[in-house]
Amino acid sequence: MSKTNVPAVKTPEKSLVERVSALAVTGEEPNEGTVPTRALPVHPSPDGYRRLSPVQVLYRAEDYYRRLTKKCVGVSVVIAMVATLVLVILQR
C-alpha cells in the first residue's frame, strides 16, 4: 500500500460559542409580531413553461355525450340480439 501525503487544510480555530452559533442559525429571521401571509406562487420551471395541468379544463367534443349514448345503445342492442340468437338455437 502506498501512502499519499496530503497537506492538511488549515482552518482558523473557532471558539465553542462561534461553533454553536453557526449550528443554531437557520437562515430564517424571527417573525414575531408579523402577520402570516399566503404561500409564494409557484414559479415557472427553468425552461419558462408554467405547468397548469391540474387546473386546465378537459376538452370534450360537442357531441361527446351523444356519441357515447349511441355507442351504449348499440352495444346493448347487439348483446340482446346475440342472447336471443343463443336462446333460439338452444331451444331447437
Side-chain angles (χ1 to χ4, degrees):
M1 290 172 66
S2 66
K3 292 184 179 182
T4 57
N5 293 332
V6 178
V9 177
K10 296 204 175 201
T11 58
E13 288 293 322
K14 290 184 178 180
S15 68
L16 181 60
V17 174
E18 289 175 332
R19 286 187 269 170
V20 171
S21 295
L23 292 174
V25 173
T26 61
E28 297 179 9
E29 295 189 20
N31 58 359
E32 295 175 1
T34 60
V35 178
T37 58
R38 291 185 191 173
L40 295 174
V42 179
H43 295 289
S45 62
D47 62 355
Y49 179 72
R50 186 169 178 205
R51 288 165 177 81
L52 297 174
S53 56
V55 296
Q56 288 177 343
V57 179
L58 180 65
Y59 171 76
R60 287 195 182 117
E62 291 181 21
D63 61 341
Y64 172 75
Y65 291 109
R66 187 176 344 126
R67 286 187 292 144
L68 186 62
T69 304
K70 285 181 181 180
K71 188 184 296 186
C72 290
V73 169
V75 168
S76 300
V77 169
V78 169
I79 290 174
M81 289 174 57
V82 169
T84 305
L85 183 63
V86 169
L87 286 174
V88 168
I89 291 175
L90 290 177
Q91 288 181 355
R92 286 191 181 190

